[in-house]
Amino acid sequence: MRKKITVVGAGNVGATCAQRLAERDYADIVLVDIIEGMPQGKALDILQSGPVLGYDSNVIGTNGYEETEGSDIAIITSGVPRKPGMSRDDLVLTNMKIVQGVTEELVKRSPNCIIIVVANPLDAMAQLALKVSGFPRNRVIGMSGILDTARFRTFVAQELKVSVEDVAAYVLGGHGDTMIPLIRMATVGGLPLTEVMHADTISKIEERTVKGGGEIVALLKTGSAFYAPSAGTVQMVDAIVLDKKQILPCAAYLEGEYGINGVFVGVPTKLGENGIEEIIEIKLNSEEQAALDKSADAVRELIEIMKI
Ligand code: APR
């Protein structure tokens, strides 16, 4: 039977996720938004691309939740995006109300679904969704590490004039200023990045990666990135629907891994049909561990603001 995937928020990230997922042709999609007519219109438009692109995914849009019943995966993109000059953390109070309400509606009708959170501030919103849903931690996952890593890989590939596929890397930690590109472990065609690129250039790329979302916000002026965020989200859905057991950097609720307890932080995870099937612990050096601890503290501050 085809899988059922709900995407909440039919704005830039949500609609692009729905489009990418429809093109995968492995699931039917329900697109939810509060704006009357908008999710219905976008769903119809995506549906009508099927004959041209050759997919049979059913896509429906709605302002309610009846149609979401029995979803296998729910993606939460509903929320306000950043404007120039804002940090992701500035969104916390607005988006927490939205994510809380949406999660309640979703879990009522899809108690066995896997939730992927995309709304920002990412780690805090994932923590809220975990708390509100009461789901086990393997079924609430935050999308950020794939995006941050993709930005890093893009910049490295551009600089070295090699295929993006040759660049393997991990960006861990929170989705914000405290993220940690793991330079020591990045490779290009299997060779250590540190052997093929000057340290100063690596530092510049590291810096650009950390500010990668802000660079796009400053250019767009009216919203934030959505093509790469939706691509990252769909890679996670692929891993789950196709039970790929793929190792991907995701925001996961840690219970002692990396010495961190009770908070979402970006770490390497194994994704398969059960969501996060394993949190992979790698040995960090003291500098990396300190940076990860700092990331966890930044998420904790937001959790205190949310009082959850
Ligand atoms: N229920 C359903 N949809 C909602 C709700 C709600 N309670 N509240 C807001 N929305 C919808 C809006 O109507 C809008 O269509 O969420 C959509 C958000 O879309 P955009 O404004 O285009 O924002 P987008 O770029 O998609 O970003 C969404 O993802 O990457 C993050 O920081 C970003 O938090 C932001 C989120």
Side-chain angles (χ1 to χ4, degrees):
M1 213 174 101
R2 292 172 82 84
K3 296 280 181 193
K4 183 169 178 177
I5 302 174
T6 288
V7 182
V8 187
N12 279 336
V13 178
T16 316
C17 278
Q19 178 194 0
R20 293 189 191 282
L21 288 170
E23 290 173 9
R24 292 297 205 265
D25 205 11
Y26 54 43
D28 292 328
I29 294 138
V30 182
L31 190 56
V32 184
D33 202 288
I34 45 171
I35 300 175
E36 223 172 282
M38 188 266 254
Q40 293 87 340
K42 289 191 180 181
L44 202 53
D45 197 7
I46 296 171
L47 191 70
Q48 291 166 358
S49 317
V52 183
L53 296 176
Y55 57 77
D56 292 300
S57 312
N58 191 29
V59 189
I60 52 171
T62 173
N63 302 118
Y65 284 83
E66 294 314 314
E67 297 86 342
T68 69
E69 181 144 16
S71 294
D72 299 287
I73 298 175
I75 302 168
I76 302 180
T77 78
S78 47
V80 180
R82 282 195 277 173
K83 296 209 173 64
M86 284 174 96
S87 84
R88 293 182 183 91
D89 294 358
D90 294 334
L91 306 173
V92 69
L93 293 175
T94 312
N95 285 353
M96 76 172 278
K97 290 191 198 102
I98 296 173
V99 170
Q100 172 158 3
V102 164
T103 306
E104 283 165 0
E105 295 295 337
L106 285 171
V107 302
K108 258 188 254 171
R109 296 167 183 87
S110 304
N112 299 316
C113 73
I114 292 170
I115 297 177
I116 300 176
V117 181
V118 189
N120 274 313
L122 190 274
D123 307 271
M125 292 303 110
Q127 183 114 3
L128 178 64
L130 180 79
K131 175 95 194 289
V132 172
S133 66
F135 282 6
R137 66 171 177 160
N138 61 303
R139 289 203 279 125
V140 181
I141 320 166
M143 192 298 298
S144 56
I146 298 174
L147 170 62
D148 298 326
T149 303
R151 287 180 173 147
F152 183 78
R153 291 171 64 196
T154 304
F155 299 145
V156 169
Q158 260 185 346
E159 181 65 32
L160 293 176
K161 299 186 177 52
V162 298
S163 164
V164 289
E165 288 177 332
D166 281 340
V167 186
Y170 272 101
V171 178
L172 304 185
H175 187 46
D177 296 342
T178 59
M179 72 179 76
I180 311 144
L182 275 187
I183 303 304
R184 193 168 57 90
M185 296 184 190
T187 58
V188 180
L191 306 168
L193 174 64
T194 48
E195 296 289 320
V196 294
M197 192 183 276
H198 196 277
D200 290 347
T201 313
I202 296 178
S203 292
K204 282 193 193 117
I205 287 180
E206 212 177 337
E207 166 102 10
R208 192 174 174 198
T209 301
V210 173
K211 298 189 172 145
E215 182 178 353
I216 292 174
V217 170
L219 289 165
L220 293 178
K221 296 181 186 72
T222 54
S224 50
F226 56 100
Y227 290 113
S230 58
T233 307
V234 170
Q235 187 176 32
M236 290 167 67
V237 176
D238 277 350
I240 295 166
V241 171
L242 305 174
D243 192 24
K244 285 168 80 95
K245 317 284 187 205
Q246 195 169 6
I247 313 283
L248 293 167
C250 295
Y253 185 75
L254 300 188
E255 290 177 331
E257 295 87 357
Y258 293 93
I260 295 170
N261 208 3
V263 70
F264 268 82
V265 183
V267 290
T269 62
K270 189 201 278 181
L271 292 195
E273 62 180 344
N274 300 311
I276 295 182
E277 301 193 348
E278 195 181 334
I279 289 171
I280 293 159
E281 281 192 88
I282 48 175
K283 195 159 171 40
L284 299 179
N285 64 29
S286 56
E287 208 178 307
E288 292 157 351
Q289 182 66 47
L292 198 66
D293 291 340
K294 199 172 154 213
S295 251
D297 287 342
V299 180
R300 281 196 191 96
E301 277 177 31
L302 290 179
I303 291 164
E304 269 174 39
I305 293 173
M306 294 196 297
K307 300 188 177 67
I308 57 165

